[in-house]
Amino acid sequence: MINIQEIRSQFPILKTLVRGKPLVYLDNAATTQKPQSVIDSLVRYYTSLNSNVHRGVHYLSNLASEEFENSRKTIQRFINAEKESEIIFTRGATESINLVASSYGRAFFKKGDEVIISTMEHHSNIVPWQMLESELGIKLKVIPISDEGELIIEEFEKLLSEKTKFVSIVYISNSLGTINPIKKIIKKAHSFAVPVLIDAAQAIHHKKIDVKELDCDFLAFSGHKMYGPTGIGVLYGKKKFLEQMPPYQAGGDMIKSVRFERTIFNDIPFKFEAGTPDISGGIALAEAIRFIEGIGYDEIESYETELLEYATEKVSEIPELKIIGRAKEKSAVLSFVIDGIHPHDIGTFLDVDGIAIRTGHHCTEPIMQRFAIPATSRASFAIYNKKEEIDLLTQSIKKVIQLFK
Ligand code: PMP
């Protein structure tokens, strides 16, 4: 059994009072809060390690480089990558996907090639590919979703053909909470020799990810959604692909030598890490991993499932409320609409009670189109949330409905 009080005590921000009321933070799909160990790691870096990494010969530079590279090893072990060099530090999931679209796409796609994504992708996994449509003349093919918010897998199978050159798919939807059957998708795509990128931005803090077991070719995630800092993220890529891909950005660290006649690029992962990285963020990300592993994914999954089930049951008592996203396999996201009340009004009134939810299209406008709604209200849960907070959420929603009657 996990001790929620003990976990909460590790998050100083949870003691915040919002206009005199305790903060109820239910906007975890946007970003999670940070435990003291992650905050301390950032402070420790700037207090006693700050120095630029790699290339340095002095004491601090060696220390900072060692810690930064140790963090890469921690991430490699965390997702069970074969090689350290398969872990590339980026700014987040968005940059990771852009890196692949830009580098892999420009190098290997040609006019008429097809890339498969789905209706439930975050804009970060739509627009980078769309840009290649106009630049290279490739075609985006989109897997439709059902009324429950599940991928229609038979449609995916129909879209796959010899024209398909890439599949890029979200593991867990940030707007619907749907957990996609990515193992099945990867296997099917591989039967057509098509590489697959998994957008794990919403999965990495909820589910154990083993890239070898999944056999995904690329995996993208952000530090800030897994109790780590903002500004740091990861792209995992299989060595055989990364080695063939050209650099995404150019500058320091991504080269072996620069001559005006010819520049030789560095080996992976550095080939994709131009410029000074987010050193403190990279080091603190390893601390976030230690926080997650300290609790354990089994405990995390079972507690968060309990929270989601409790929340679903509670809000289902409100007849005016309709849940958007009712997939059988679902993670800690509860999106809903209430007839006659705009989600922004719901969010604003809940904020008066100290309850932080997110309202809007959640960077997934095609999902809103699919359900013919302008926006949803979204409560999303993390390991420090409590059932009492869900009770407060429900009470507050009921109050808003009364106000608008
Ligand atoms: N994909 C999904 C599913 C997301 O939820 C998000 C963030 N909301 C992203 C990608 C982009 O992540 P970031 O903004 O951290 O790059």
Side-chain angles (χ1 to χ4, degrees), residues 263-283:
T263 286
I264 301 170
F265 302 137
N266 210 339
D267 298 326
I268 58 165
F270 309 112
K271 182 171 79 173
F272 295 107
E273 293 181 354
T276 302
D278 179 0
I279 307 165
S280 61
I283 294 171

Side-chain angles (χ1 to χ4, degrees), residues 29-30 91-95 97 122 124-125 170 172-174 199 201-202 222 224-225 362-363 378:
R91 283 192 299 122
T94 301
E95 189 177 38
I97 300 168
H122 187 278
S124 300
N125 198 24
V170 69
I172 297 181
S173 157
N174 63 312
D199 172 1
Q202 294 295 337
S222 301
H224 71 98
K225 292 187 198 277
H362 319 297
C363 295
R378 180 188 73 186

Side-chain angles (χ1 to χ4, degrees), residues 216-285:
C216 58
D217 303 287
F218 298 96
L219 184 91
F221 58 91
S222 301
H224 71 98
K225 292 187 198 277
M226 53 180 289
Y227 311 105
T230 51
I232 189 80
V234 171
L235 171 69
Y236 156 80
K238 279 184 186 161
K239 184 168 176 265
K240 66 173 181 187
F241 290 115
L242 294 177
E243 281 187 335
Q244 291 177 57
M245 287 161 55
Y248 156 69
Q249 290 180 337
D253 237 22
M254 52 71 73
I255 50 88
K256 265 189 184 147
S257 78
V258 176
R259 300 284 178 278
F260 285 116
E261 304 74 46
R262 188 164 95 96
T263 286
I264 301 170
F265 302 137
N266 210 339
D267 298 326
I268 58 165
F270 309 112
K271 182 171 79 173
F272 295 107
E273 293 181 354
T276 302
D278 179 0
I279 307 165
S280 61
I283 294 171
L285 184 55

Side-chain angles (χ1 to χ4, degrees), residues 41 44-45 49 53 63-69 71 89 229 232 278-288 290:
S41 168
R44 188 179 68 89
Y45 171 77
L49 287 175
V53 285
L63 274 187
S65 304
E66 197 179 314
E67 288 227 14
F68 189 64
E69 290 307 318
S71 177
F89 284 113
I232 189 80
D278 179 0
I279 307 165
S280 61
I283 294 171
L285 184 55
E287 214 51 67
R290 285 189 272 278

Side-chain angles (χ1 to χ4, degrees), residues 120 145-150 173-179 308 312 315-316 321-337 367-368 370-371 373 376-377:
M120 69 170 85
I145 57 176
S146 68
D147 290 344
E148 283 71 41
E150 290 172 332
S173 157
N174 63 312
S175 293
L176 304 168
T178 310
I179 304 173
L308 180 67
T312 306
V315 301
S316 299
L321 182 148
K322 184 176 167 214
I323 295 174
I324 304 292
R326 288 190 159 276
K328 274 194 263 352
E329 294 291 323
K330 199 176 157 179
S331 185
V333 167
L334 191 73
S335 257
F336 58 90
V337 289
I367 294 185
M368 303 302 133
R370 166 64 180 80
F371 289 96
I373 49 177
T376 74
S377 301

Side-chain angles (χ1 to χ4, degrees), residues 50 134 151 207:
N50 179 45
S134 43
L151 288 181
K207 286 186 92 60

Side-chain angles (χ1 to χ4, degrees), residues 375-396:
T376 74
S377 301
R378 180 188 73 186
S380 50
F381 311 108
I383 192 64
Y384 41 66
N385 287 126
K386 313 182 275 187
K387 288 187 178 162
E388 292 87 322
E389 293 179 308
I390 291 167
D391 293 338
L392 291 171
L393 168 75
T394 319
Q395 282 163 26
S396 198

